[in-house]
Amino acid sequence: MQNRLLQLVEESGMKKEIPAFTVGDQVDVHQKILEGQKERTQIFSGTVIARKGSGLRETFTVRRIVQGEGVERIFPLHSPKIAKIEVKRTGRVRRAKLYYLRGRVGKATRLVERKAKGTETGATQGRRKKAAAPSAESS
Protein backbone atom coordinates (compact mmCIF):
# COMPACT_ATOMS: atom_id res chain seq x y z
CA MET A 1 0.00 0.00 0.00
CA GLN A 2 2.70 2.46 1.02
CA ASN A 3 4.90 1.44 -1.93
CA ARG A 4 2.05 2.04 -4.35
CA LEU A 5 1.32 5.47 -2.84
CA LEU A 6 4.99 6.43 -3.09
CA GLN A 7 5.06 5.28 -6.71
CA LEU A 8 2.01 7.43 -7.58
CA VAL A 9 3.56 10.51 -5.97
CA GLU A 10 6.81 9.97 -7.90
CA GLU A 11 4.99 9.50 -11.22
CA SER A 12 3.11 12.77 -10.77
CA GLY A 13 6.39 14.69 -10.42
CA MET A 14 8.16 13.02 -13.35
CA LYS A 15 8.49 14.64 -16.76
CA LYS A 16 6.65 12.95 -19.59
CA GLU A 17 9.03 13.67 -22.47
CA ILE A 18 12.73 13.18 -21.89
CA PRO A 19 15.05 12.73 -24.88
CA ALA A 20 17.03 9.50 -25.03
CA PHE A 21 20.60 10.38 -24.11
CA THR A 22 23.38 8.38 -22.55
CA VAL A 23 26.84 8.89 -21.11
CA GLY A 24 29.20 10.32 -23.72
CA ASP A 25 26.59 12.43 -25.53
CA GLN A 26 27.05 16.16 -26.14
CA VAL A 27 23.97 17.94 -24.77
CA ASP A 28 22.56 21.43 -24.33
CA VAL A 29 20.68 21.78 -21.04
CA HIS A 30 18.22 24.70 -21.11
CA GLN A 31 17.77 25.86 -17.53
CA LYS A 32 15.22 28.42 -16.33
CA ILE A 33 16.78 31.16 -14.17
CA LEU A 34 14.85 33.71 -12.12
CA GLU A 35 16.38 37.19 -11.91
CA GLY A 36 14.07 39.33 -9.82
CA GLN A 37 10.74 39.27 -11.64
CA LYS A 38 12.19 38.15 -14.98
CA GLU A 39 12.69 34.55 -16.02
CA ARG A 40 15.24 33.65 -18.66
CA THR A 41 16.72 30.49 -20.10
CA GLN A 42 20.43 29.75 -19.79
CA ILE A 43 22.08 27.02 -21.83
CA PHE A 44 24.78 24.77 -20.37
CA SER A 45 26.53 22.78 -23.13
CA GLY A 46 28.83 19.87 -22.45
CA THR A 47 29.44 16.14 -22.36
CA VAL A 48 27.39 13.85 -20.14
CA ILE A 49 29.95 12.05 -17.97
CA ALA A 50 27.58 10.29 -15.54
CA ARG A 51 23.98 9.32 -14.92
CA LYS A 52 22.84 7.92 -11.62
CA GLY A 53 19.74 7.24 -9.59
CA SER A 54 16.35 6.19 -10.85
CA GLY A 55 12.84 7.50 -10.94
CA LEU A 56 12.33 10.99 -9.58
CA ARG A 57 15.83 11.10 -8.05
CA GLU A 58 17.71 10.49 -11.30
CA THR A 59 20.55 12.95 -11.99
CA PHE A 60 23.10 13.45 -14.73
CA THR A 61 26.46 15.24 -14.69
CA VAL A 62 27.54 17.48 -17.56
CA ARG A 63 31.15 18.61 -18.01
CA ARG A 64 32.61 21.33 -20.19
CA ILE A 65 35.80 23.38 -20.40
CA VAL A 66 35.46 27.14 -19.82
CA GLN A 67 38.59 29.28 -20.31
CA GLY A 68 40.86 26.29 -19.76
CA GLU A 69 39.09 25.26 -16.53
CA GLY A 70 36.82 22.22 -16.25
CA VAL A 71 33.29 22.95 -15.05
CA GLU A 72 30.84 20.23 -14.02
CA ARG A 73 27.19 20.59 -13.07
CA ILE A 74 24.82 17.98 -11.72
CA PHE A 75 21.25 18.34 -12.95
CA PRO A 76 18.18 16.53 -11.59
CA LEU A 77 16.56 14.95 -14.64
CA HIS A 78 12.97 15.68 -13.60
CA SER A 79 13.56 19.19 -12.24
CA PRO A 80 10.95 21.81 -13.19
CA LYS A 81 13.84 24.27 -13.66
CA ILE A 82 15.08 22.34 -16.68
CA ALA A 83 13.16 23.57 -19.72
CA LYS A 84 14.58 21.04 -22.18
CA ILE A 85 17.55 18.87 -23.03
CA GLU A 86 18.89 18.84 -26.60
CA VAL A 87 21.22 16.08 -27.80
CA LYS A 88 23.83 17.54 -30.17
CA ARG A 89 26.14 14.55 -30.75
CA THR A 90 26.14 10.97 -29.58
CA GLY A 91 29.40 9.58 -28.26
CA ARG A 92 30.58 5.98 -28.48
CA VAL A 93 31.88 4.93 -25.07
CA ARG A 94 32.57 1.68 -23.25
CA ARG A 95 32.14 2.95 -19.69
CA ALA A 96 29.21 3.85 -17.48
CA LYS A 97 31.04 6.83 -15.99
CA LEU A 98 33.54 9.03 -17.85
CA TYR A 99 35.41 10.44 -14.86
CA TYR A 100 38.70 9.82 -16.68
CA LEU A 101 37.92 12.88 -18.85
CA ARG A 102 38.68 15.06 -15.82
CA GLY A 103 42.38 14.39 -16.30
CA ARG A 104 42.36 15.23 -19.99
CA VAL A 105 42.62 18.55 -21.77
CA GLY A 106 41.97 19.80 -25.31
CA LYS A 107 41.63 17.30 -28.14
CA ALA A 108 42.15 14.38 -25.75
CA THR A 109 38.62 14.95 -24.40
CA ARG A 110 36.96 14.25 -27.76
CA LEU A 111 34.87 11.11 -28.12
CA VAL A 112 34.16 9.11 -31.29
CA GLU A 113 30.65 9.70 -32.65
CA ARG A 114 28.22 6.79 -32.37
CA LYS A 115 26.60 5.89 -35.67
CA ALA A 116 22.88 5.17 -35.79
CA LYS A 117 21.98 1.55 -36.42
CA GLY A 118 21.17 0.67 -40.03
CA THR A 119 23.04 3.57 -41.61
CA GLU A 120 25.98 3.02 -43.90
CA THR A 121 28.32 5.40 -45.67
CA GLY A 122 28.17 5.69 -49.46
CA ALA A 123 31.54 3.99 -49.91
CA THR A 124 30.45 0.92 -47.93
CA GLN A 125 27.20 0.62 -49.87
CA GLY A 126 29.04 0.83 -53.22
CA ARG A 127 31.43 -1.98 -52.28
CA ARG A 128 28.57 -4.21 -51.24
CA LYS A 129 26.69 -3.66 -54.50
CA LYS A 130 29.77 -4.52 -56.57
CA ALA A 131 30.42 -7.69 -54.59
CA ALA A 132 26.79 -8.84 -54.83
CA ALA A 133 26.31 -8.11 -58.55
CA PRO A 134 27.49 -10.92 -60.87
CA SER A 135 29.91 -9.73 -63.55
CA ALA A 136 28.88 -9.93 -67.25
CA GLU A 137 32.41 -10.95 -68.36
CA SER A 138 32.34 -14.34 -66.59
CA SER A 139 29.44 -15.67 -68.74
Side-chain angles (χ1 to χ4, degrees):
M1 170 82 177
Q2 192 176 13
N3 253 354
R4 181 71 182 137
L5 187 62
L6 186 63
Q7 190 177 12
L8 287 171
V9 170
E10 277 196 1
E11 285 176 9
S12 67
M14 292 175 96
K15 289 187 176 180
K16 304 293 182 253
E17 293 179 24
I18 295 173
F21 69 95
T22 59
V23 173
D25 293 354
Q26 289 266 336
V27 295
D28 284 354
V29 181
H30 296 252
Q31 187 177 21
K32 297 176 192 170
I33 293 183
L34 274 170
E35 290 179 339
Q37 299 297 323
K38 292 183 181 180
E39 185 179 281
R40 67 181 180 88
T41 304
Q42 188 175 36
I43 300 173
F44 190 88
S45 302
T47 305
V48 178
I49 63 166
R51 274 184 87 159
K52 63 180 171 183
S54 63
L56 200 58
R57 296 172 211 86
E58 188 171 355
T59 61
F60 62 102
T61 307
V62 181
R63 177 179 176 82
R64 74 175 188 189
I65 308 292
V66 179
Q67 297 178 354
E69 197 72 28
V71 177
E72 290 183 10
R73 290 201 55 189
I74 300 171
F75 295 99
L77 189 61
H78 297 284
S79 171
K81 287 190 174 185
I82 293 181
K84 68 177 176 176
I85 301 167
E86 283 184 60
V87 179
K88 295 294 181 187
R89 289 182 74 216
T90 56
R92 186 173 62 107
V93 294
R94 297 169 66 179
R95 305 264 179 279
K97 307 281 193 274
L98 301 182
Y99 297 141
Y100 68 89
L101 290 178
R102 291 173 176 164
R104 297 191 178 190
V105 189
K107 289 185 178 180
T109 60
R110 291 185 300 178
L111 300 170
V112 178
E113 181 139 15
R114 185 175 62 228
K115 292 182 173 63
K117 291 182 181 175
T119 60
E120 295 183 55
T121 61
T124 311
Q125 288 174 343
R127 270 190 251 126
R128 289 208 177 142
K129 286 179 185 174
K130 288 178 186 173
S135 63
E137 296 173 16
S138 62
S139 304

